Amino acid sequence: GSDLFEVDELGRTAAHRAAEYDRGWELHFLLAVERTCRQRHPGALQHQESMLVKRDIRGRTILHVASEAGFRLIVRYLVSVWEETAVDAADVIIAEWSCFDCPPVHRVSN
């Protein structure tokens, strides 16, 4: 089997790589599996950081990666469908910069 949260030498998850290569359907699948696992077995992943907010060694979330690559549809998907996920100020700037007509992004309170 494979670990859904496994990271490579650059700290990237499978979700980072899906966002980097414009693989929206793969990204959706990975995030949907994570969400389902968290809903069905809340205690099992309580200490595991979500792929939505996991940062690579350069400090980039999947939202950063998709924005930097210019994949506007993935950015729109992340801020629309996964809007319940709070992001930090850097993510808000990235999302607003790359997708002007996306819905508002929820900020993490500091």
Side-chain angles (χ1 to χ4, degrees), residues 7-105:
V7 295
D8 64 14
E9 65 279 355
L10 300 176
R12 298 175 307 177
T13 64
H16 280 91
R17 290 186 297 279
E20 183 177 6
Y21 294 107
D22 198 21
R23 308 289 268 180
W25 65 271
E26 289 176 15
L27 183 60
H28 171 73
F29 175 78
L30 292 165
L31 295 175
V33 167
E34 178 184 357
R35 176 186 273 173
T36 301
C37 289
R38 288 185 188 282
Q39 289 172 343
R40 290 187 181 171
H41 310 286
L45 296 175
Q46 68 184 5
H47 299 294
Q48 180 65 53
E49 187 174 37
S50 171
M51 288 185 286
L52 286 161
V53 296
K54 175 79 175 151
R55 294 182 182 279
D56 64 14
I57 63 172
R58 292 179 49 203
R60 300 176 312 156
T61 64
I62 57 177
L63 182 57
H64 282 95
V65 171
S67 295
E68 287 176 359
F71 298 133
R72 192 166 181 247
L73 290 177
I74 289 182
V75 172
R76 173 182 285 285
Y77 165 76
L78 289 171
V79 299
S80 300
V81 177
W82 300 94
E83 67 184 34
E84 76 279 1
T85 301
V87 295
D88 67 16
D91 279 329
V92 172
I93 292 167
I94 292 285
E96 290 173 351
W97 174 80
S98 63
C99 189
F100 297 108
D101 58 345
C102 287
V105 178

